[in-house]
Coordinates of all heavy atoms in Angstrom, one line a residue:
T174 N 140.6 179.6 144.3 CA 141.6 180.4 144.9 C 142.1 179.7 146.2 O 141.5 178.8 146.7 CB 141.2 181.8 145.2 OG1 140.4 181.7 146.4 CG2 140.3 182.4 144.2
S175 N 143.3 180.2 146.6 CA 143.9 179.6 147.8 C 143.0 179.7 149.0 O 142.3 180.7 149.2 CB 145.2 180.4 148.1 OG 145.9 179.9 149.2
G176 N 143.0 178.6 149.8 CA 142.1 178.6 151.0 C 142.9 178.5 152.3 O 143.9 177.7 152.3
S177 N 142.5 179.2 153.3 CA 143.4 179.3 154.5 C 143.5 178.0 155.3 O 144.5 177.8 156.0 CB 142.9 180.4 155.5 OG 141.6 180.1 155.8
K182 N 139.4 177.2 147.6 CA 137.9 177.4 147.6 C 137.5 177.8 146.2 O 138.2 178.6 145.5 CB 137.5 178.3 148.7 CG 138.3 179.6 148.7 CD 138.0 180.4 150.0 CE 138.8 181.7 150.0 NZ 138.8 182.4 151.2
G291 N 145.0 193.6 141.2 CA 145.4 192.5 141.9 C 146.3 192.7 143.1 O 146.4 191.9 144.0
Y315 N 140.7 197.7 141.1 CA 140.8 197.0 142.4 C 139.6 196.1 142.5 O 138.5 196.5 142.2 CB 140.8 198.0 143.5 CG 140.3 197.3 144.8 CD1 141.3 196.6 145.6 CD2 139.0 197.3 145.2 CE1 140.8 196.0 146.7 CE2 138.6 196.6 146.3 CZ 139.5 195.9 147.1 OH 139.1 195.2 148.2
G316 N 139.9 194.9 143.0 CA 138.7 194.0 143.4 C 139.1 192.6 143.5 O 140.1 192.1 143.0
P317 N 138.4 191.8 144.4 CA 138.6 190.4 144.6 C 137.8 189.5 143.6 O 136.8 190.0 143.1 CB 138.2 190.2 146.0 CG 137.1 191.2 146.2 CD 137.4 192.4 145.3
T318 N 138.2 188.3 143.4 CA 137.5 187.4 142.6 C 136.1 187.3 143.0 O 135.2 187.2 142.1 CB 138.2 186.0 142.7 OG1 139.6 186.1 142.5 CG2 137.6 184.9 141.8
E319 N 135.8 187.3 144.3 CA 134.4 187.2 144.8 C 133.5 188.3 144.3 O 132.3 188.2 144.4 CB 134.4 187.1 146.3 CG 135.0 185.8 146.9 CD 136.5 185.8 147.1 OE1 137.2 186.6 146.4 OE2 137.0 185.0 147.9
Y380 N 130.8 180.6 147.7 CA 131.8 179.5 147.5 C 131.1 178.2 147.1 O 130.0 177.9 147.7 CB 132.7 179.3 148.7 CG 133.5 180.6 149.0 CD1 133.2 181.3 150.2 CD2 134.4 181.1 148.1 CE1 133.9 182.5 150.5 CE2 135.1 182.3 148.4 CZ 134.9 182.9 149.6 OH 135.5 184.1 149.8
Y405 N 130.0 191.8 150.4 CA 131.2 190.9 150.5 C 132.3 191.5 151.4 O 132.7 192.6 151.1 CB 131.7 190.5 149.1 CG 133.0 189.7 149.2 CD1 133.0 188.4 149.7 CD2 134.2 190.3 148.8 CE1 134.2 187.7 149.9 CE2 135.4 189.6 149.0 CZ 135.4 188.3 149.5 OH 136.5 187.6 149.6
R406 N 132.7 190.7 152.4 CA 133.8 191.2 153.3 C 135.1 190.9 152.6 O 135.5 189.7 152.5 CB 133.6 190.5 154.6 CG 134.6 190.9 155.6 CD 134.4 190.1 156.9 NE 135.1 190.8 158.0 CZ 135.2 190.3 159.2 NH1 134.5 189.3 159.6 NH2 135.9 191.0 160.1
T407 N 135.8 191.9 152.2 CA 137.0 191.6 151.4 C 138.2 191.1 152.2 O 139.1 190.5 151.7 CB 137.5 192.9 150.6 OG1 137.9 193.9 151.6 CG2 136.5 193.4 149.7
G408 N 138.3 191.5 153.5 CA 139.5 191.3 154.3 C 140.5 192.3 154.1 O 141.6 192.3 154.6
D409 N 140.2 193.4 153.3 CA 141.1 194.5 153.0 C 140.8 195.6 154.0 O 139.7 195.9 154.3 CB 141.0 195.0 151.6 CG 141.4 193.9 150.6 OD1 142.3 193.1 150.9 OD2 140.9 193.9 149.4
F421 N 143.8 201.6 149.4 CA 144.0 200.2 150.0 C 145.1 200.3 151.0 O 146.2 200.9 150.7 CB 144.4 199.3 148.8 CG 144.9 198.0 149.2 CD1 144.0 197.0 149.5 CD2 146.3 197.7 149.3 CE1 144.4 195.7 149.9 CE2 146.7 196.4 149.7 CZ 145.8 195.5 150.0
G423 N 146.2 197.4 153.1 CA 146.7 196.1 153.5 C 145.6 195.2 153.9 O 144.4 195.4 153.6
R424 N 145.9 194.1 154.6 CA 145.0 193.1 154.9 C 144.7 192.9 156.4 O 145.5 193.3 157.2 CB 145.5 191.7 154.4 CG 145.7 191.6 153.0 CD 144.5 191.3 152.2 NE 143.7 190.1 152.7 CZ 142.5 189.9 152.3 NH1 141.9 190.6 151.4 NH2 141.8 188.9 152.8
T425 N 143.5 192.4 156.7 CA 143.3 192.1 158.1 C 143.7 190.7 158.5 O 143.6 190.3 159.6 CB 141.7 192.2 158.4 OG1 141.1 191.2 157.5 CG2 141.2 193.5 158.1
D426 N 144.1 189.9 157.5 CA 144.4 188.5 157.7 C 145.7 188.1 157.1 O 146.5 188.9 156.8 CB 143.2 187.6 157.2 CG 143.0 187.8 155.7 OD1 143.9 188.4 155.0 OD2 142.0 187.4 155.1
S427 N 145.9 186.8 156.9 CA 147.2 186.4 156.4 C 147.2 186.0 154.9 O 147.9 185.1 154.5 CB 147.8 185.2 157.2 OG 146.9 184.2 157.2
Q428 N 146.3 186.7 154.2 CA 146.3 186.5 152.7 C 147.4 187.5 152.2 O 147.4 188.6 152.6 CB 145.0 186.8 152.1 CG 144.9 186.7 150.6 CD 143.5 187.0 150.1 OE1 142.5 186.4 150.4 NE2 143.4 188.1 149.3
I429 N 148.2 187.0 151.2 CA 149.2 187.9 150.6 C 149.1 187.8 149.1 O 148.4 186.9 148.6 CB 150.6 187.6 151.0 CG1 151.0 186.1 150.6 CG2 150.8 187.8 152.5 CD1 152.5 185.9 150.4
K430 N 149.8 188.7 148.4 CA 150.0 188.6 147.0 C 151.5 188.5 146.8 O 152.2 189.3 147.2 CB 149.4 189.9 146.3 CG 147.9 189.9 146.2 CD 147.4 188.9 145.3 CE 145.9 188.8 145.1 NZ 145.4 189.3 143.9
S431 N 151.8 187.4 146.0 CA 153.3 187.3 145.7 C 153.3 187.0 144.2 O 152.7 186.1 143.7 CB 153.9 186.2 146.5 OG 155.3 186.1 146.3
Y434 N 150.1 186.4 142.6 CA 149.2 185.3 143.0 C 148.6 185.5 144.3 O 149.3 186.0 145.3 CB 150.0 184.0 143.0 CG 150.4 183.5 141.6 CD1 151.7 183.8 141.2 CD2 149.6 182.8 140.8 CE1 152.1 183.4 139.9 CE2 150.0 182.4 139.6 CZ 151.2 182.6 139.1 OH 151.6 182.2 137.9
R435 N 147.3 185.2 144.5 CA 146.7 185.3 145.8 C 146.9 184.1 146.6 O 146.7 182.9 146.1 CB 145.2 185.5 145.5 CG 144.3 185.3 146.7 CD 142.9 185.8 146.4 NE 141.9 185.3 147.3 CZ 140.6 185.6 147.2 NH1 140.2 186.4 146.3 NH2 139.8 185.1 148.1
I436 N 147.5 184.2 147.7 CA 148.0 183.1 148.5 C 147.5 183.3 150.0 O 147.7 184.3 150.6 CB 149.6 183.0 148.5 CG1 150.0 182.8 147.1 CG2 150.1 181.9 149.4 CD1 151.5 183.0 146.9
E437 N 146.9 182.2 150.5 CA 146.7 182.2 151.9 C 147.9 181.5 152.6 O 148.2 180.3 152.3 CB 145.4 181.3 152.2 CG 144.1 182.0 151.8 CD 143.6 183.1 152.7 OE1 144.3 183.3 153.7 OE2 142.6 183.7 152.3
L438 N 148.5 182.2 153.5 CA 149.7 181.6 154.1 C 149.3 180.4 154.9 O 150.1 179.4 155.1 CB 150.4 182.7 155.1 CG 150.9 183.9 154.3 CD1 151.5 184.9 155.3 CD2 152.1 183.5 153.3
G439 N 148.1 180.3 155.4 CA 147.5 179.2 156.1 C 147.6 177.9 155.2 O 147.7 176.8 155.8
E440 N 147.4 178.1 153.9 CA 147.5 176.9 153.0 C 148.9 176.3 153.0 O 149.1 175.1 153.0 CB 147.0 177.2 151.6 CG 146.8 175.9 150.8 CD 146.3 176.1 149.4 OE1 145.7 177.2 149.1 OE2 146.4 175.2 148.6
V456 N 154.6 180.7 158.5 CA 154.9 181.2 157.2 C 154.4 182.7 157.2 O 153.3 183.0 157.5 CB 154.3 180.5 156.1 CG1 154.6 181.1 154.7 CG2 154.7 179.0 156.1
G458 N 154.7 186.7 155.3 CA 155.0 187.5 154.1 C 155.8 188.7 154.4 O 155.5 189.4 155.4
E460 N 157.6 192.3 152.8 CA 157.7 193.1 151.6 C 159.1 193.0 151.1 O 160.1 193.1 151.8 CB 157.5 194.6 152.0 CG 156.0 195.0 152.3 CD 155.1 194.5 151.2 OE1 155.3 194.8 150.1 OE2 154.1 193.7 151.6
T467 N 155.8 190.6 147.6 CA 155.9 190.0 148.9 C 156.7 188.7 148.8 O 156.3 187.9 148.0 CB 154.5 189.8 149.5 OG1 153.8 191.0 149.5 CG2 154.6 189.3 151.0

Side-chain angles (χ1 to χ4, degrees):
T174 75
S175 181
S177 56
K182 47 189 185 196
Y315 159 85
T318 306
E319 288 85 340
Y380 299 113
Y405 172 67
R406 182 180 193 180
T407 63
D409 292 331
F421 170 82
R424 295 282 308 168
T425 58
D426 59 12
S427 60
Q428 178 180 300
I429 61 153
K430 285 292 177 108
S431 184
Y434 291 98
R435 168 168 160 177
I436 298 168
E437 288 286 355
L438 295 174
E440 187 176 348
V456 180
E460 287 312 305
T467 304

